[in-house]
Amino acid sequence: MKQLKHTFFIALTGILLLSCNNKADYGVAVTQTHIPRVDEMPELPSPYKIIDWKQKARSFDEYVFDFNPELPAGSMIWLDNSQRNIPQITFGLYTAIDDARQGPKNNNGEFHESLNSLAAILGAGLMGIDKTQQNGYNYVKMVQNYFNSDNGWNIVMNNTNPEVALLGGGYGRDWWYDVFPNVLYYAVSDVFPGVENADYIQRTIAEQFVKADSILNGDYNYSYFDYSQMKGMINHIPLQQDAAGGHGYVLYSAYQKYKDKRYLKHAKSAIAALDNQKESRFYEILLPMGIYTAARLNAEHGTSYDVEKMINWVFDGCTDPQARHGWGIIVGKWGNYDVSGLQGSIIDGGGYAFLMNSIKTAWPLVPMVKYEPRFANAIGKWMLNNVNACRLFYPDEIEDKNQWLPELKGYTNSIVAYEGLRYEDLFNKPELKGIHPVALGDGPNWNPNNPKESMFSLYSTSPVGILGAMVDTTDVTGILRLNCNTTDFYAEKPYPVYLYYNPHPETKELTYHPKGKVDVFDIVSKQYVARGIENPTHINIPASQARVLTELPAGTRIERKNNWLIANGHVIAYQ
């Protein structure tokens, strides 16, 4: 009888253990999807250096929004009392240092760009700087003058009015310039919610984009769209089909905010138009925004957009000579510097990368791995290269012989970066012949009166807070901690989520710093890497692999439901 009871006990224990194991079945590890152009990038770029992006971001905000700075370049900001669109004073920032078209004394002080001002506010907000009350100004309210109601378009545009539009910067004739300010405005409004009049503007933008997408009906083959006449337009500018990505991003953000099903319907419609393209139409930033939106829609609403195809469209670049030919992600070593990961023209002069584009591509693609963890390795490796190379735009981070204005490094204390990094010089300076790469900028080409220091670009540097808030180093060289929540706007973010990528050929152990007492779960391997920790703890990152780590309150139970992993009612992983 004792033997029978013992056998029964062992059997019952086995059943219970099996039951527990079944309950702890979190699914299989996520097979990684390769991005061929990322595979061509070095595992560890050389020379390797990750600068203090947080300090760069703080310094930029402190300098650029100071009306009386002590640096030799002088003030970068002025007040604009023209009261366009809204009866209030707004402000302008120089697009490039000493740009002759700008400032309080030129063009009635009205020529300034929302892409610059909004990015500066967004970057500062991500860094925890309150732009609604800074030195007596509510800058978030002040940028509402870019909401163009006077011209009947009723969207946020790059300038406050058409009178200054032809001075440069794109306005009412170049689609990405008209759509992206609305992407930025939605992001700023998520970081700074509740600002007076913002809700009205966001609602109006969403309604305008719904009308536009309804009229376009899947056909985005236009240079731009007239949001007053509600009519697609073609001019000398190449067709910009990837504007659908911007429409989709804004409309899905609007759906998350307002839960209006029309916004969801047209977000899907716009992303379907993007997905239905036969080849890459990538330029600037709207396609990556669409990719992120496609990934979220696939994860959260069961759609089946081809995210892999569209990511390759970005990295491989546009090959159609009738479109923005050559725009993609750069791979290679220019002179002594690895420049892989930067965004810009792959073909112009051997390659021409831009800081603004390189930073802003991180905005959608890093949070995307929460919804598509199969790209964790690729995005982790790309970001390692990208973040490393982004420093080369700063005059204090590249050799004097590789930049156009080494004598002016102190002009802004290297707070404002060069606009671009080119394989070879654009202006035929004798000292730079045969030098690769060269840090420079297009500013002198914009206006015959622009000085050489207009190569230093606020417009390009203004989103630096994205990297400041997103990127941290670890105690292992080459392994970054990327905050996947930083730019995951209009999303539920109950728990911290970090992407780590190990570029080394062997497993590396790094120190993980928890916030409180937590369990740490990897949504790539579908395993816990630590439980019940509250002090710095060593965790392993496998060789040439990524982990996407979600930090849960200790003891949180993970349940599997409809192929989703759910913790305390919150989805932490999508299958």
Side-chain angles (χ1 to χ4, degrees):
M1 180 63 73
K2 279 186 178 181
Q3 182 62 37
L4 183 60
K5 286 182 178 178
H6 183 63
T7 303
F8 175 77
F9 176 77
I10 292 175
L12 180 61
T13 302
I15 291 170
L16 289 172
L17 285 173
L18 181 60
S19 175
C20 288
N21 286 335
N22 286 339
K23 286 182 179 178
D25 179 12
Y26 306 123
V28 298
V30 178
T31 301
Q32 293 298 290
T33 298
H34 286 268
I35 302 301
R37 196 155 176 84
V38 175
D39 289 342
E40 297 174 18
M41 298 179 186
E43 285 294 335
L44 193 64
S46 174
Y48 177 76
K49 182 181 179 183
I50 305 299
I51 64 173
D52 187 343
W53 289 103
K54 288 177 172 50
Q55 186 56 52
K56 282 289 188 188
R58 293 188 191 101
S59 296
F60 182 83
D61 181 78
E62 182 180 348
Y63 170 53
V64 168
F65 287 89
D66 185 347
F67 286 86
N68 296 289
E70 296 180 357
L71 291 175
S75 178
M76 296 292 110
I77 187 171
W78 69 94
L79 297 178
D80 173 2
N81 194 26
S82 302
Q83 302 196 29
R84 299 281 189 170
N85 304 302
I86 294 175
Q88 65 174 15
I89 295 173
T90 187
F91 70 96
L93 297 177
Y94 279 93
T95 297
I97 289 181
D98 296 335
D99 191 319
R101 305 166 298 174
Q102 298 180 312
K105 298 180 180 179
N106 297 306
N107 296 298
N108 198 35
E110 292 192 79
F111 183 53
H112 41 83
E113 301 189 61
S114 72
L115 292 183
N116 189 12
S117 300
L118 285 165
I121 290 171
L122 176 62
L126 293 175
M127 289 297 301
I129 299 168
D130 187 356
K131 302 299 287 186
T132 66
Q133 46 181 352
Q134 187 180 41
N135 301 322
Y137 294 99
N138 183 343
Y139 291 110
V140 185
K141 180 71 170 65
M142 293 168 79
V143 291
Q144 293 179 2
N145 289 73
Y146 291 110
F147 176 69
N148 277 239
S149 55
D150 290 347
N151 70 355
W153 281 46
N154 291 310
I155 62 172
V156 175
M157 300 182 73
N158 195 38
N159 304 118
T160 60
N161 67 89
E163 280 78 359
V164 296
L166 292 178
L167 293 171
Y171 179 99
R173 63 186 184 275
D174 192 342
W175 209 349
W176 90 269
Y177 268 114
D178 295 328
V179 172
F180 192 56
N182 299 278
V183 173
L184 277 164
Y185 189 77
Y186 258 78
V188 166
S189 296
D190 192 42
V191 175
F192 296 104
V195 173
E196 180 189 358
N197 202 43
D199 187 71
Y200 167 75
I201 291 174
Q202 287 186 267
R203 273 283 196 183
T204 306
I205 291 166
E207 292 298 324
Q208 290 292 84
F209 280 16
V210 162
K211 292 176 186 175
D213 183 71
S214 299
I215 291 165
L216 291 162
N217 194 27
D219 181 5
Y220 276 74
N221 296 299
Y222 295 99
S223 303
Y224 72 100
F225 190 86
D226 186 318
Y227 292 86
S228 177
Q229 299 183 63
M230 284 292 156
K231 182 179 178 181
M233 309 293 281
I234 295 176
N235 58 17
H236 66 284
I237 294 171
L239 307 185
Q240 297 186 42
Q241 295 88 342
D242 62 344
H247 272 178
Y249 181 92
V250 169
L251 287 167
Y252 193 59
S253 298
Y255 169 71
Q256 292 296 327
K257 180 175 175 64
Y258 298 111
K259 300 305 178 186
D260 187 323
K261 290 185 179 179
R262 293 179 305 124
Y263 300 157
L264 175 60
K265 173 186 174 182
H266 286 283
K268 290 179 178 179
S269 169
I271 299 303
L274 191 69
D275 191 33
N276 287 335
Q277 293 298 320
K278 301 303 181 185
E279 59 182 334
S280 176
R281 287 296 186 272
F282 176 44
Y283 182 61
E284 298 286 355
I285 187 59
L286 296 179
L287 177 55
M289 292 295 171
I291 291 169
Y292 160 87
T293 309
R296 280 194 68 177
L297 286 168
N298 286 350
E300 297 175 337
H301 294 277
T303 53
S304 55
Y305 305 116
D306 192 341
V307 172
E308 180 182 355
K309 172 187 70 178
M310 289 190 278
I311 291 178
N312 281 307
W313 281 352
V314 169
F315 279 84
D316 293 340
C318 177
T319 59
D320 185 346
Q322 301 302 313
R324 301 285 190 167
H325 185 207
W327 211 263
I329 304 296
I330 290 165
V331 173
K333 198 176 190 76
W334 295 350
N336 295 324
Y337 294 97
D338 275 322
V339 295
S340 291
L342 299 176
Q343 196 224 111
S345 175
I346 298 171
I347 59 175
D348 184 1
Y352 197 172
F354 297 94
L355 178 59
M356 180 192 77
N357 306 68
S358 303
I359 293 174
K360 285 183 178 173
T361 307
W363 164 356
L365 294 188
V366 170
M368 181 200 67
V369 302
K370 293 170 59 175
Y371 308 98
E372 286 272 19
R374 64 190 173 114
F375 297 108
N377 281 6
I379 298 304
K381 181 179 177 180
W382 161 66
M383 276 295 289
L384 174 62
N385 279 273
N386 185 32
V387 173
N388 180 72
C390 276
R391 80 181 194 282
L392 301 176
F393 295 86
Y394 287 92
D396 61 344
E397 292 295 337
I398 192 168
E399 293 180 77
D400 286 0
K401 70 180 182 68
N402 290 91
Q403 58 181 300
W404 232 89
L405 299 169
E407 69 277 12
L408 289 179
K409 279 196 293 188
Y411 204 50
T412 69
N413 267 353
S414 292
I415 290 171
V416 180
Y418 286 100
E419 178 191 11
L421 188 72
R422 203 167 188 266
Y423 175 72
E424 60 187 10
D425 182 28
L426 181 64
F427 299 97
N428 300 313
K429 189 176 184 180
E431 302 95 304
L432 294 172
K433 186 175 182 179
I435 298 295
H436 312 293
V438 176
L440 40 64
D442 281 336
N445 285 334
W446 297 339
N447 186 284
N449 296 319
N450 271 5
K452 59 185 179 180
E453 58 265 28
S454 64
M455 290 186 177
F456 295 129
S457 172
L458 282 81
Y459 174 92
S460 303
T461 317
S462 59
V464 64
I466 292 174
L467 292 187
M470 180 183 285
V471 178
D472 284 291
T473 56
T474 67
D475 55 354
V476 178
T477 298
I479 299 182
L480 302 180
R481 186 184 79 165
L482 303 175
N483 188 334
C484 299
N485 284 342
T486 297
T487 50
D488 193 18
F489 302 120
Y490 299 96
E492 190 180 49
K493 295 176 284 191
Y495 309 119
V497 183
Y498 302 107
L499 168 62
Y500 295 82
Y501 175 73
N502 176 12
H504 301 283
E506 64 279 329
T507 295
K508 290 291 185 179
E509 186 179 75
L510 59 80
T511 305
Y512 187 91
H513 297 268
K515 296 177 181 177
K517 190 171 184 179
V518 302
D519 299 333
V520 184
F521 185 81
D522 177 19
I523 70 171
V524 174
S525 66
K526 299 290 179 27
Q527 295 176 342
Y528 283 97
V529 297
R531 290 188 193 243
I533 62 171
E534 54 186 329
N535 297 310
T537 302
H538 288 146
I539 62 170
N540 291 326
I541 311 293
S544 302
Q545 295 292 316
R547 291 193 186 277
V548 179
L549 301 183
T550 300
E551 195 173 283
L552 305 171
T556 299
R557 183 182 177 186
I558 298 176
E559 299 177 298
R560 193 172 174 184
K561 182 179 180 181
N562 297 329
N563 286 325
W564 290 355
L565 296 183
I566 299 174
N568 285 337
H570 304 291
V571 180
I572 63 168
Y574 302 87
Q575 300 295 315

